[in-house]
Amino acid sequence: MSERMILNRIKKLMELEEQMKSLQQQADKLKEEIKADMEVKKQEEIKAGNHVVRFKTIVTNRLDSKALQSSLPDVYKQFVKQTESRRFTVA
């Protein structure tokens, strides 16, 4: 692929990412409006047509790896798992 072709693809990619960002902001705004309405009505679930919208509190338990590493470093080292990934960026 020539440099010109890559530049054209990068330009198109950046345009599409900007459009996605704009659409995501619009979607987030609509979600916030729906959530605000549900909070005002004190509802965790609403039905609208064929859709069911839920906005519930979920409690999860997660391991605080930094606290474990600082208080029990040997145990942390015993269970830590290294992973590998690749990152694509355009600057």
Side-chain angles (χ1 to χ4, degrees):
M1 196 177 320
S2 70
E3 184 176 344
R4 182 176 172 202
M5 292 173 71
I6 292 173
L7 286 172
N8 286 336
R9 284 181 171 84
I10 291 170
K11 182 180 176 185
K12 182 67 174 175
L13 174 63
M14 292 180 139
E15 289 171 359
L16 289 171
E17 286 178 341
E18 189 61 36
Q19 290 174 8
M20 289 184 344
K21 182 180 173 184
S22 175
L23 290 171
Q24 187 61 53
Q25 289 172 344
Q26 292 176 41
D28 290 344
K29 183 180 178 194
L30 292 172
K31 288 177 186 178
E32 291 303 317
E33 290 173 2
I34 294 168
K35 289 181 206 176
D37 184 61
M38 292 175 76
E39 285 181 343
V40 166
K41 294 177 180 175
K42 297 186 184 338
Q43 292 179 315
E44 289 190 337
E45 181 176 297
I46 58 171
K47 294 179 183 176
N50 294 328
H51 306 280
V52 177
V53 180
R54 293 179 185 90
F55 186 42
K56 295 184 176 192
T57 301
I58 306 296
V59 177
T60 59
N61 296 306
R62 297 183 183 208
L63 179 67
D64 185 348
S65 61
K66 288 182 182 179
L68 177 62
Q69 185 178 14
S70 65
S71 59
L72 299 170
D74 293 335
V75 174
Y76 176 81
K77 287 177 187 175
Q78 184 180 355
F79 290 98
V80 73
K81 179 181 177 183
Q82 188 176 36
T83 60
E84 187 175 304
S85 64
R86 297 176 69 185
R87 181 176 294 154
F88 177 79
T89 60
V90 179

